[in-house]
């Protein structure tokens, strides 16, 4: 089983990493794995950058076979290496303001107050990503063991408006919590 890079023949498939369409004619990354539910294999399709963030191991395995003209190759490798070095980074699924005060932080176990920033987590298992709860934005360094989370946060927070995005960036780039 080997992972693949290929040009998307249609625009129908969605990226497993960000849930947005994979545009026809653009290079996409396919992670091949044994189908856990049936005979044979299955392929999970990603934007290469989404795979670098969320499936770093698979992407790094495939990079040596990637087409010469793969855009941002060094950047993809750098992102994926960070995900291997800090094993919780690939769980980042973006940031949002808590719509209620019900969720507890997976890092400190305290409630996340309504209206404050929280980081969404997903867990990958057997070809699926499942919602994995939240951490306070302020708990990012404690939980991810690195303060370097802006890139994946920004990448998977496509739903934020321009102003919200700027606010989030300000908070993330402010003095990192210890
Ligand atoms: Zn994507
Ligand atoms: Zn917390």
């Amino acid at each position: 089983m080997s992972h693949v890079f290929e040009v998307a023949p249609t625009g129908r498939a969605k990226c497993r990493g960000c849930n947005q369409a994979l545009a026809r004619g653009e290079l996409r990354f396919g992670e091949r794995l044994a189908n856990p539910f049936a005979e044979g294999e299955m392929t999970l399709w990603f934007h290469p950058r989404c795979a670098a963030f969320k499936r770093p191991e698979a992407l790094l395995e495939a990079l040596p076979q990637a087409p010469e003209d793969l855009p941002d190759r060094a950047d993809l490798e750098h992102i994926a290496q960070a995900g291997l070095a800090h094993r919780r980074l690939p769980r980042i699924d973006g940031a949002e303001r808590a719509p209620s005060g019900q969720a507890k932080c997976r890092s400190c176990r305290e409630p996340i107050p309504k209206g404050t920033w929280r980081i969404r987590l997903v867990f990958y298992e057997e070809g699926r990503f499942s919602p994995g709860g939240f951490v306070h934005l302020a708990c990012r360094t404690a939980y991810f063991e690195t303060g370097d989370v802006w890139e994946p946060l920004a990448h998977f927070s496509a739903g934020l408006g321009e102003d919200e995005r700027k606010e989030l960036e300000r908070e993330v780039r402010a003095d990192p919590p210890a």
Side-chain angles (χ1 to χ4, degrees), residues 105 108 136 139:
C105 173
C108 70
H136 290 113
C139 287

Side-chain angles (χ1 to χ4, degrees), residues 71 79 107 122 146 171:
I79 291 169
S107 180
V122 284
T146 167
E171 293 209 26

